[in-house]
Amino acid sequence: MKVPPATRATAYDRPDDSPRSDGVSPAPPEPRGAGRGLNAVDSSVADRTGLRAEPSRTCVGCRGSDSWSALLRVVAATDEDTGNALVTLRPDPRHRRPGRGAWLHPTPKCFELAVRRKAFGRGLRLQAGVDVSAVARHLGIQQP
């Protein structure tokens, strides 16, 4: 009776679920969104509807991150005729106006935080004062 020579098992020979010689079993990496239930959506790669990936932006008011479609874009518009140092902020709900934009949750709370912190000037990199009345009208907020 002939006995085959003993061979040493390598990592390629043993099944994935068998433990290694040091007693530690390698765990395969989990795919994104795994372990959160059957209908869970990974918010880092999908928008609120869960249909496609969208970039995220930071609200200048609350500093919270949200999807591009959930925030209101605000741009600076200067009145070149009068030469006024005050810059008017314009809401850009369609995200089409040219120039640098600041992003804001369309809620009175975030708007008031952004005004109180003077975040629009910093977010838009402006040196002059800003007039926020157009954005307040767009959000339905009464300004004093």
Side-chain angles (χ1 to χ4, degrees):
M1 177 169 186
K2 198 163 196 186
V3 179
T7 59
R8 186 174 158 193
T10 64
Y12 300 106
D13 296 331
R14 54 176 196 264
D16 290 338
D17 57 347
S18 67
R20 297 187 320 201
S21 61
D22 58 356
V24 178
S25 62
E30 291 186 3
R32 291 185 103 170
R36 298 186 190 144
L38 295 176
N39 296 325
V41 175
D42 187 5
S43 63
S44 66
V45 293
D47 67 345
R48 287 183 170 207
T49 61
L51 298 177
R52 65 177 190 272
E54 277 192 347
S56 64
R57 301 286 185 254
T58 302
C59 173
V60 295
C62 68
R63 303 294 298 156
S65 181
D66 210 339
S67 68
W68 178 81
S69 60
L71 298 172
L72 173 67
R73 184 173 184 258
V74 177
V75 296
T78 57
D79 190 11
E80 296 176 8
D81 296 336
T82 62
N84 192 359
L86 191 65
V87 176
T88 305
L89 297 182
R90 304 276 183 205
D92 185 18
R94 293 182 1 182
H95 308 160
R96 298 286 189 263
R97 290 184 184 244
R100 185 175 183 84
W103 298 85
L104 176 76
H105 283 114
T107 61
K109 178 185 170 190
C110 286
F111 176 75
E112 290 168 5
L113 281 170
V115 170
R116 189 173 70 218
R117 294 177 182 169
K118 300 178 183 175
F120 287 117
R122 281 194 307 276
L124 295 170
R125 298 182 182 170
L126 300 173
Q127 300 297 323
V130 294
D131 177 22
V132 295
S133 60
V135 179
R137 280 192 309 272
H138 179 79
L139 296 175
I141 301 171
Q142 296 292 330
Q143 285 286 317

